[in-house]
Amino acid sequence: SFRLFSPDKEPKEAEEKSWRLEYGLQARDDQSIRLDAQQVWENGISSIPEYALRFRQPQEKILTGLGYAARLFSPILPSLEVSKPIGVDLTTTDAYRFLREAAPLMEEAGFTINPPDWWDSKGARLAVRLRLEPENGDPKPRSVTGKMGLDQLVRFTWELSLGGERLSREEFEQLASLRSPLVQIRGQWVQLEKEQLEAASKFWNKQQQTGSMNLVQAALYSLGNEEATEGLPVDEVIVDGWVREWLSQLEDQGRLVLLDQPTGLQGTLRPYQRLGYSWLTFFRNYGMGACLADDMGLGKTIQALSVLLKEKETNGTLPGPVLLICPTSVVTNWQREVQKFAPSLTTMVHQGQGRLRGAAFTLEAKNVDLVLSSYAVVRQDAETIQSIAWWSVILDEAQNIKNSSAKQTQAIRKLNAAYRLALTGTPVENRLSELWSIMQFLNPGYLGPMETFRRYYALPIERFGDKEAAGKLKKLVSPFILRRLKSDPAVIQDLPDKIEVKDFVKLSNEQADLYKSVVDDVMARVQAASGIERRGQILSLLTQLKQICNHP
């Protein structure tokens, strides 16, 4: 076994041998039974039966073990030049090599390593601390308006820490000048690797130490995005004032204040829908985008409409028009849903060849609460629609912008909106890049550039199944995505009993005759065929029958 002792004081010279590595014998089944090399050479175990039984021929064993260990850690060799080696003195550099490189190999070979108490497998690292507090000591958050990313609401202070101790700029530069992998700060030994020094230097030079940031940036740092800090871990986030309450609600939905449903809502929100509406309102209040990713059929429409109704009832009017974008086939369905659940919202459908264009559309859009349009039309009329200052843009079936490079997606990202909302039951269908595209619409820049996202998350997770990267990504995006399934215990108890209704539709005489003739013709060929040809005939039959039943 090997036991390393660190010096009480940091050596004045880099090559000074002030570290001590001592040898010994240790029982495999009971680590409390250990003999120092000094005891072995003094033959002090013969009087202790238990030790004598466990450590037979101890002197030969310790010499044999040291000979093998010297192959893994060469600084041991000089100590073997004496007849009774008990240990070896090491420089700081050799001590670091022993802890970081040799010790893991020696443990795999069966040796027991006892490092200093302050050392662990990673060692104390350079890290950053972030202090967040209300700007100008505001007792409560100010109203958030305008385009996301321009609202400076939170005062921040960055600090550098090493081994849990705060470092000033001067202390860091002094430690960096030592060029030693192990340094002592305020009586505590910590490791200081070259890569950490380079990352810290970049951080100091790039990152403003004090200033103001918006809430999205504050969330990014508090959730532990190390890429945003040059790869240095965020050791601690110290939060004061209303910012603390805001962050706790962001990370824990259970701390959200449940709102009463809007009085103008024609219907009753189920408990999980009330939570979803309150959750969406929370993000609206702070000007951040959110993704409601409930399973199909759980009422994403009514939850989104409740947010608009609440805003209108609170202020008497919406701050500006709302643009809702959905697939072409769903536009009329949204119109019916608005008339059914939120008739107090004035609407305008921007669809079809006869739709308003140019200045006429702009004038009409500003006079209604909600403009309903489709992805295709928004792309075609991009210039006009982008010129309007929308209060909110809502994407239904938001997976339609999963391709970040598509012209449709790029046109939608350029829309000017204070509050953005995505509704989709499938935020990720095939690739994590789809999630990035939706988040880039909701909170631009939150997950960084696409190339950075692909390097740190998409490739490690999709290609190599990196669980650590997946955990980091989940922590970053989960506060902004509310996902409930019909099978969730908190949801299924709120749903009504499933009702199945069979609705029989008779075929016209023309359809029935055509249906029968096709069945007779194809079934005769099916009976005569076999193998893959038979399967092809059956598939063809099913396709033809569907076409016949779909009468114009």
Side-chain angles (χ1 to χ4, degrees):
S1 67
F2 297 87
R3 179 175 291 174
L4 182 65
F5 293 90
S6 54
D8 295 333
K9 295 182 180 181
E10 191 169 3
K12 296 180 180 180
E13 298 180 5
E15 298 304 317
E16 182 180 336
K17 294 187 176 183
S18 55
W19 297 71
R20 182 66 177 173
L21 183 64
E22 294 189 350
Y23 313 143
L25 289 177
Q26 187 165 320
R28 291 183 180 275
D29 59 344
D30 188 348
Q31 294 190 0
S32 64
I33 301 177
R34 184 183 185 279
L35 285 175
D36 293 334
Q38 185 72 38
Q39 294 174 286
V40 172
W41 298 120
E42 292 176 354
N43 200 23
I45 65 171
S46 58
S47 59
I48 308 176
E50 185 178 3
Y51 278 33
L53 182 63
R54 288 178 180 271
F55 302 121
R56 294 181 178 179
Q57 298 180 322
Q59 297 177 353
E60 289 80 355
K61 282 186 177 180
I62 199 168
L63 287 174
T64 302
L66 288 172
Y68 182 78
R71 300 179 188 175
L72 302 175
F73 187 59
S74 58
I76 291 177
L77 281 172
S79 69
L80 302 185
E81 295 176 0
V82 300
S83 59
K84 299 178 180 180
I86 59 175
V88 64
D89 294 324
L90 304 175
T91 64
T92 300
T93 302
D94 286 339
Y96 176 74
R97 282 184 48 230
F98 175 79
L99 290 170
R100 288 290 288 172
E101 300 172 11
L105 297 175
M106 295 170 77
E107 285 183 322
E108 289 184 6
F111 294 100
T112 299
I113 307 298
N114 296 291
D117 293 337
W118 50 264
W119 177 267
D120 58 27
S121 59
K122 295 182 179 179
R125 298 294 185 99
L126 270 172
V128 290
R129 287 179 178 176
L130 176 62
R131 184 180 297 275
L132 300 172
E133 54 191 349
E135 192 172 34
N136 301 322
D138 292 339
K140 57 182 179 180
R142 289 177 286 155
S143 176
V144 180
T145 57
K147 189 178 179 181
M148 174 51 55
L150 299 180
D151 298 299
Q152 304 297 327
L153 296 177
V154 179
R155 185 76 178 171
F156 70 84
T157 303
W158 284 108
E159 300 172 350
L160 198 61
S161 67
L162 180 60
E165 295 286 343
R166 179 183 176 276
L167 285 182
S168 66
R169 183 68 177 267
E170 294 73 21
E171 288 176 315
F172 167 72
E173 292 177 349
Q174 183 179 1
L175 290 175
S177 66
L178 297 176
R179 301 184 181 278
S180 174
L182 293 173
V183 297
Q184 196 176 49
I185 175 171
R186 302 187 186 110
Q188 180 184 1
W189 282 95
V190 294
Q191 71 168 296
L192 196 61
E193 296 181 343
K194 180 181 178 182
E195 293 78 8
Q196 297 179 52
L197 288 172
E198 292 176 351
S201 296
K202 288 181 181 179
F203 177 78
W204 276 122
N205 296 330
K206 179 180 177 181
Q207 185 63 257
Q208 184 181 355
Q209 294 183 38
T210 61
S212 298
M213 65 171 61
N214 61 56
L215 290 173
V216 172
Q217 290 173 315
L220 181 67
Y221 290 123
S222 66
L223 293 171
N225 184 31
E226 296 179 9
E227 288 71 44
T229 55
E230 298 296 334
L232 291 174
V234 179
D235 179 47
E236 185 179 9
V237 179
I238 305 169
V239 190
D240 294 322
W242 62 262
V243 185
R244 182 193 299 114
E245 181 64 21
W246 168 74
L247 279 173
S248 65
Q249 291 184 53
L250 178 69
E251 298 184 50
D252 184 4
Q253 298 168 5
R255 297 178 65 92
L256 281 174
V257 176
L258 291 181
L259 304 174
D260 294 330
Q261 74 173 50
T263 56
L265 183 67
Q266 303 300 304
T268 302
L269 293 175
R270 299 190 177 104
Y272 73 87
Q273 292 174 334
R274 186 181 168 200
L275 171 62
Y277 144 67
S278 301
W279 182 80
L280 292 174
T281 303
F282 167 80
F283 282 92
R284 177 269 167 276
N285 290 338
Y286 289 100
M288 292 185 293
C291 177
L292 182 60
D294 284 348
D295 206 356
M296 183 177 65
L298 294 185
K300 293 187 287 292
T301 300
I302 195 172
Q303 294 175 70
L305 291 176
S306 296
V307 177
L308 305 185
L309 282 173
K310 183 68 174 179
E311 183 70 23
K312 187 172 183 178
E313 291 177 5
T314 302
N315 300 312
T317 182
L318 292 177
V322 176
L323 175 63
L324 187 138
I325 309 172
C326 59
T328 303
S329 60
V330 187
V331 173
T332 54
N333 184 61
W334 264 96
Q335 187 180 22
R336 288 194 300 267
E337 296 285 279
V338 174
Q339 293 171 351
K340 177 181 178 181
F341 295 113
S344 62
L345 295 177
T346 57
T347 60
M348 165 192 176
V349 175
H350 186 58
Q351 181 80 348
Q353 291 297 321
R355 65 183 183 272
L356 297 176
R357 301 172 191 269
F361 166 72
T362 301
L363 180 62
E364 184 66 21
K366 292 180 179 179
N367 291 325
V368 298
D369 295 324
L370 184 61
V371 176
L372 305 174
S373 191
S374 66
Y375 287 96
V377 170
V378 170
R379 176 172 53 82
Q380 294 168 10
D381 299 352
E383 185 175 349
T384 302
I385 295 177
Q386 289 168 6
S387 67
I388 299 176
W390 302 99
W391 171 64
S392 175
V393 172
I394 302 174
L395 301 186
D396 187 26
E397 303 293 344
Q399 65 271 17
N400 280 274
I401 64 165
K402 64 183 181 181
N403 185 351
S404 61
S405 60
K407 290 183 178 180
Q408 175 176 283
T409 303
Q410 294 176 355
I412 289 174
R413 280 208 207 110
K414 293 179 181 178
L415 294 173
N416 183 12
Y419 170 54
R420 301 183 178 197
L421 171 59
L423 308 176
T424 175
T426 53
V428 178
E429 289 184 315
N430 301 299
R431 295 284 184 268
L432 285 176
S433 58
E434 300 164 5
L435 176 63
W436 180 90
S437 185
I438 293 177
M439 288 298 297
Q440 183 70 3
F441 161 76
L442 294 173
N443 298 302
Y446 179 73
L447 292 179
M450 170 60 92
E451 287 304 315
T452 301
F453 177 81
R454 183 180 290 114
R455 181 169 68 253
Y456 283 107
Y457 297 109
L459 288 178
I461 295 171
E462 293 175 350
R463 184 171 298 179
F464 305 109
D466 190 326
K467 293 183 179 179
E468 183 178 357
K472 288 182 179 179
L473 179 59
K474 181 179 180 180
K475 186 177 180 181
L476 285 175
V477 301
S478 59
F480 298 90
I481 300 176
L482 182 59
R483 172 74 168 160
R484 277 90 57 92
L485 303 176
K486 294 174 184 175
S487 57
D488 291 346
V491 173
I492 196 169
Q493 62 184 7
D494 296 332
L495 297 177
D497 293 335
K498 184 177 180 180
I499 300 174
E500 293 185 2
V501 178
K502 294 182 179 179
D503 192 1
F504 295 95
V505 181
K506 294 183 178 180
L507 300 178
S508 66
N509 292 334
E510 181 185 4
Q511 283 177 292
D513 292 341
L514 190 56
Y515 192 101
K516 185 175 186 305
S517 65
V518 169
V519 170
D520 293 342
D521 177 54
V522 177
M523 286 304 296
R525 283 182 280 149
V526 168
Q527 296 296 334
S530 61
I532 190 67
E533 182 183 354
R534 177 185 174 90
R535 294 185 180 185
Q537 294 284 359
I538 294 174
L539 180 61
S540 175
L541 172 62
L542 292 174
T543 302
Q544 292 180 62
L545 295 181
K546 286 181 180 180
Q547 293 172 334
I548 293 170
C549 292
N550 188 21
H551 195 281

